[in-house]
Amino acid sequence: MTLNSAVAPPSISARHLCVSFNDVSILSDIDLDFFPGTTIAILGANGSGKTTMIKAMLGLLPRHEGSVEIHGQSVEEFKDWHRIAYVPQKLINAATVPVSVFETVSSALVYPRKRISSKNRKLAVTSALAEVGLQDRAKDRLDELSDGQQRRVLLARALATNADIYVLDEPTAGVDSQNQEMLVTAVRGLVEKGACVIMITHELGIFEEDVDRVIVLSDGGISFDGPVAQLPAQLENSHHSHPHSKPAHLMES
């Protein structure tokens, strides 16, 4: 943690956040503050609502109750979406659409409310690829890279935006140890610059020493919120279990 969360305003705040689908309660009474300069891991079993919670906080899913603020503005009024970068597990159709590594990273720099010159776009893409050690693969097709290298390209895509909130979805899933080390180094750099990094994951893995805070979801609420050192063993292992109360179409991470 590089910033003092006691004095820095939160990057994202949620109050009494409740999410329901078809009258089925998924999340209820969620109160959270995510601060800049911190790395937060969201743990929980499949279907516990990890992704649902983050999407609801970003206004991508409707809330049944509650409020969310991003950088002090309500999520409904927030317009500076270029300040938030999402790193998915993989790009849809990445294996079927012929696209270069450079084009993949550059695609993150197209904004409806913000213009970027070709020169600045190229500089941002080149710098981001260098940060993840893939500057020599810029002209290669994305589908020719390994899974770990593709994950680094997606991280470079986020880095190019120079955002201050990063959401990483299962950042180490299917990634070999060498590529994991590169991801850890990149995340450390983001936090040192004051970014808020939120990881949706099933296990802390190689990030364990870098996570400032762990939030465990279960039974529609928060069962733990604190530092890794205080995480009870039964909760640390609980994210491998599978809930039985969620409808099949809601089973997500």
Side-chain angles (χ1 to χ4, degrees), residues 6-211:
V7 297
S11 301
I12 305 178
S13 294
R15 293 292 177 269
H16 189 54
L17 176 65
C18 302
V19 180
S20 300
F21 291 112
N22 298 327
D23 296 325
V24 177
S25 177
I26 306 302
L27 296 168
S28 60
D29 207 23
I30 300 293
D31 286 310
L32 286 173
D33 290 313
F34 294 154
F35 291 94
T38 60
T39 303
I40 305 109
I42 312 296
L43 296 177
N46 288 333
S48 62
K50 301 188 300 294
T51 300
T52 294
M53 182 181 76
I54 297 302
K55 285 185 175 181
M57 292 176 75
L58 297 179
L60 300 175
L61 287 176
R63 306 185 306 277
H64 179 64
E65 291 182 33
S67 63
V68 176
E69 289 188 352
I70 302 176
H71 292 306
Q73 288 186 299
S74 69
V75 66
E76 291 82 7
E77 296 176 352
F78 185 75
K79 304 297 182 185
D80 297 327
W81 293 106
H82 62 276
R83 299 180 66 183
I84 302 175
Y86 177 69
V87 183
Q89 293 189 43
K90 61 179 63 179
L91 286 178
I92 299 175
N93 296 326
T96 57
V97 179
V99 59
S100 72
V101 168
F102 186 94
E103 290 169 331
T104 301
V105 177
S106 181
S107 67
L109 300 176
V110 179
Y111 307 112
R113 292 165 48 88
K114 180 181 177 182
R115 290 195 172 208
I116 300 178
S117 69
S118 297
K119 179 181 179 180
N120 288 338
R121 180 180 289 109
K122 182 177 181 179
L123 182 62
V125 173
T126 302
S127 176
L129 285 173
E131 199 163 344
V132 299
L134 290 174
Q135 63 270 33
D136 60 333
R137 306 300 297 270
K139 295 182 179 180
D140 293 351
R141 281 179 46 152
L142 181 65
D143 59 355
E144 294 175 346
L145 273 59
S146 68
D147 289 345
Q149 290 171 330
Q150 287 186 21
R151 186 64 62 87
R152 282 157 58 186
V153 171
L154 295 181
L155 181 57
R157 185 174 182 270
L159 294 174
T161 66
N162 197 31
D164 45 38
I165 298 174
Y166 292 82
V167 178
L168 281 59
D169 189 358
E170 295 291 349
T172 60
V175 179
D176 60 39
S177 58
Q178 181 178 359
N179 283 297
Q180 285 187 18
E181 290 285 358
M182 186 68 71
L183 292 172
V184 170
T185 299
V187 169
R188 286 174 182 167
L190 292 174
V191 175
E192 288 173 359
K193 294 176 183 177
C196 174
V197 178
I198 304 166
M199 295 191 297
I200 303 169
T201 183
H202 283 85
E203 58 184 0
L204 298 176
I206 197 170
F207 283 102
E208 183 169 349
E209 294 184 1
D210 294 272
V211 169

